Amino acid sequence: MTIDYVHGYSESEARRLGDQANALAALLHEGTSYPAGSKVLEVGCGIGAQTAHLVASSPGARIVAVDVNDASLAQARARVAATAPEAEVEWIRADLFDLPFPEASFDHLFVCFVLEHLRDPQRALVELRRFLQPGGTVTAIEGDHGSALFHPDSAAARAAINCQVQLQSTAGGDALIGRKLQPLLASAGYGGITVHARPVYADQNLPELVDDFTRNTFIAMIESIGDDALAAGLTTPDDWRRGMADLHRTTEPGGTFHYTFFKAMAVNPPGSRGS
C-alpha cells in the first residue's frame, strides 16, 4: 500500500492503536455490521485493531484484511486469533493499488484511518470501487486534527498539534481529511453518500475517556512525533515542552478535550462496473 506511515511501526504505536480502537469501538462501529456470508474487504488493516471489532459486530461475515506490512499482519492475525478464534478472516499482504482480487468480488468495503496517509486518496477510492459489487457499500472513517478543542486553551498546544499536521502533509498525507470525505467519495463515483460526525468529549467526569482517548490516544500520538518535529525545524525544545505540558493539562481536573471523527457510508451505484 502506498503509505508513508508518519506514526511509524513501534511497539508503543501498536499499543496506541489498540487503545484507540478499544476506546472508540462503540463510537466508530455503531451502525456497522455485515450479514453472515457477505464478503468484506478491509484495506489497511494494520495490527488488526479495527478488524477485531469488525469480527465482533459481524459474526459470520467473511472478512479479507489487507495490509502492506508483514509485521503488522502478524500482529493482526494474533490479535484476532486471541479474541475470536472462530472468525473467518483471510489475511493478505498486498498494495492497495495492486490488489489480487477479481473485479466486483466484495459486497462491502471498510476503510478506517487509511485515506489520511495516502498521497492520492481519491484515486485510491476509485481503485477500490472496482472490487465492490454494484450496490455494495463502502464505509470510510477518518479523523480531523482541526477539530481538536480543549480547555485550558493554549497556543503552544495548538502549535504542537500543527506539527503533526505539517509532518503528515510533508509525508503526502492529510491529517484534516475527515471534513473532505463526502467530496472525495463523490468524485470517486460513489452514490448515496452520508457522513456523520462522531465527536469524542472527555473531562474529569469521564475518567476512562480521559485516559484511553485524550492521554493514551491523542496526546500519545502528538508526543510520538516530537523528535521528527524538532529535526524538521517545526518547533523548538522549549516550545515543544510547553505545548505538551499544556496538552497534558487538559487531562487534569478542570481540563476538557474534544475531537471529531467522521464516518462516511456510500454505495457503488447499481449498474456500475467501477472505474
Side-chain angles (χ1 to χ4, degrees):
M1 196 170 304
T2 310
I3 290 180
D4 189 351
Y5 187 58
V6 69
H7 306 307
Y9 295 95
S10 65
E11 289 184 12
S12 60
E13 174 61 10
R15 285 193 300 272
R16 188 189 71 82
L17 290 172
D19 288 341
Q20 173 178 259
N22 292 336
L24 302 174
L27 181 81
L28 299 184
H29 286 268
E30 180 187 7
T32 298
S33 63
Y34 300 113
S38 60
K39 196 169 183 181
V40 182
L41 174 61
E42 182 193 7
V43 178
C45 68
I47 64 165
Q50 303 299 333
T51 318
H53 293 288
L54 282 179
V55 165
S57 63
S58 301
R62 296 176 295 157
I63 296 173
V64 177
V66 175
D67 202 88
V68 75
N69 185 274
D70 282 322
S72 294
L73 281 171
Q75 292 182 68
R77 187 180 292 108
R79 178 183 296 270
V80 171
T83 58
E86 76 290 349
E88 188 176 351
V89 180
E90 183 178 1
W91 306 97
I92 303 289
R93 183 188 184 280
D95 188 287
L96 185 155
F97 294 103
D98 190 23
L99 293 175
F101 309 119
E103 292 193 5
S105 55
F106 291 92
D107 303 299
H108 306 282
L109 300 175
F110 184 83
V111 187
C112 185
F113 304 147
V114 173
L115 299 175
E116 63 171 311
H117 300 292
L118 301 180
R119 295 181 181 277
D120 192 345
Q122 190 265 350
R123 179 188 161 213
L125 288 169
V126 170
E127 176 68 11
L128 289 172
R129 194 164 65 86
R130 293 199 303 114
F131 303 103
L132 186 60
Q133 288 272 6
T137 72
V138 58
T139 297
I141 302 172
E142 295 290 347
D144 190 316
H145 288 5
S147 70
L149 303 171
F150 41 86
H151 174 78
D153 195 12
S154 160
R158 284 185 268 113
I161 295 170
N162 194 52
C163 288
Q164 157 71 27
V165 175
Q166 292 182 70
L167 284 173
Q168 194 154 337
S169 178
T170 299
D174 185 355
L176 309 176
I177 199 168
R179 68 189 74 178
K180 305 170 188 175
L181 286 180
Q182 192 279 334
L184 279 171
L185 286 161
S187 65
Y190 294 86
I193 303 165
T194 60
V195 181
H196 298 282
R198 298 287 174 95
V200 183
Y201 171 81
D203 63 28
Q204 61 188 322
N205 294 318
L206 300 164
E208 290 188 359
L209 272 178
V210 171
D211 280 340
D212 293 343
F213 182 71
T214 310
R215 182 179 290 113
N216 295 335
T217 296
F218 189 85
I219 294 178
M221 174 185 62
I222 301 302
E223 282 180 325
S224 72
I225 57 94
D227 289 345
D228 291 337
L230 289 165
L234 298 177
T235 187
T236 67
D238 285 345
D239 286 344
W240 183 256
R241 283 191 292 270
R242 186 177 304 110
M244 294 315 305
D246 286 354
L247 271 180
H248 277 285
R249 174 69 183 85
T250 70
T251 69
E252 299 171 2
T256 70
F257 191 88
H258 167 279
Y259 187 91
T260 300
F261 294 92
F262 294 86
K263 181 173 183 176
M265 289 160 281
V267 176
N268 189 23
S272 169
R273 295 184 59 84
S275 61

